[in-house]
Amino acid sequence: QVQLVDSGGGLVQSGGSLRLSCVISGRSLGDYVMAWFRQAPGKEREFVAVHGRGRDTTYYRDAVKGRFTISRDNAKNTVYLQMNSLKPEDTARYFCAAGGLFSAPPRARDYEHWGQGTQVTVSS
């Protein structure tokens, strides 16, 4: 059984940084395309970033380009989301997801495994 456990969220001031982590168990991380999505209260889930199986295959939503970096360590079965220069509008619950198809932008329906989410709150 594949499980994703994401962590690293918290409360941070505007301009601060956080690093989210997502550990996969039950299968190898290398088998999957990995993505981060987020959902703010009253809003639809939206993609943040995606990392293909290859080392340099990444894609970001425009609002986070230059501030967020997705990376993966297949040996540790872990994917990361480094978030810098955080803004209040980044406040949301962040979910990692594992799927088999790389698309840009990623579609939530292409991801069959999801973490439980970790809350990120950015104060102004």
Side-chain angles (χ1 to χ4, degrees), residues 25-53:
S25 61
R27 285 279 297 271
S28 172
L29 183 68
D31 292 339
Y32 293 103
V33 173
M34 297 299 296
W36 288 94
F37 290 78
R38 66 187 181 187
Q39 188 167 18
K43 295 187 177 181
E44 293 187 353
R45 187 171 297 192
E46 62 184 20
F47 93 91
V48 177
V50 59
H51 197 305
R53 295 181 183 84

Side-chain angles (χ1 to χ4, degrees), residues 6-110:
D6 34 34
S7 62
L11 174 63
V12 64
Q13 289 187 332
S14 182
S17 298
L18 285 172
R19 189 177 79 157
L20 306 184
S21 300
C22 173
V23 180
I24 189 170
S25 61
R27 285 279 297 271
S28 172
L29 183 68
D31 292 339
Y32 293 103
V33 173
M34 297 299 296
W36 288 94
F37 290 78
R38 66 187 181 187
Q39 188 167 18
K43 295 187 177 181
E44 293 187 353
R45 187 171 297 192
E46 62 184 20
F47 93 91
V48 177
V50 59
H51 197 305
R53 295 181 183 84
R55 177 175 300 195
D56 298 322
T57 308
T58 59
Y59 184 81
Y60 299 89
R61 73 180 300 108
D62 287 345
V64 307
K65 284 180 181 176
R67 299 189 297 122
F68 290 11
T69 302
I70 187 172
S71 61
R72 61 193 293 160
D73 186 336
N74 287 349
K76 295 183 178 180
N77 275 343
T78 303
V79 64
Y80 304 98
L81 185 68
Q82 178 67 43
M83 306 187 295
N84 299 328
S85 301
L86 283 160
K87 303 176 181 180
E89 52 263 44
D90 294 318
T91 294
R93 191 164 186 86
Y94 285 69
F95 301 85
C96 67
L101 178 67
F102 180 90
S103 62
R107 300 167 299 196
R109 66 176 183 265
D110 291 334

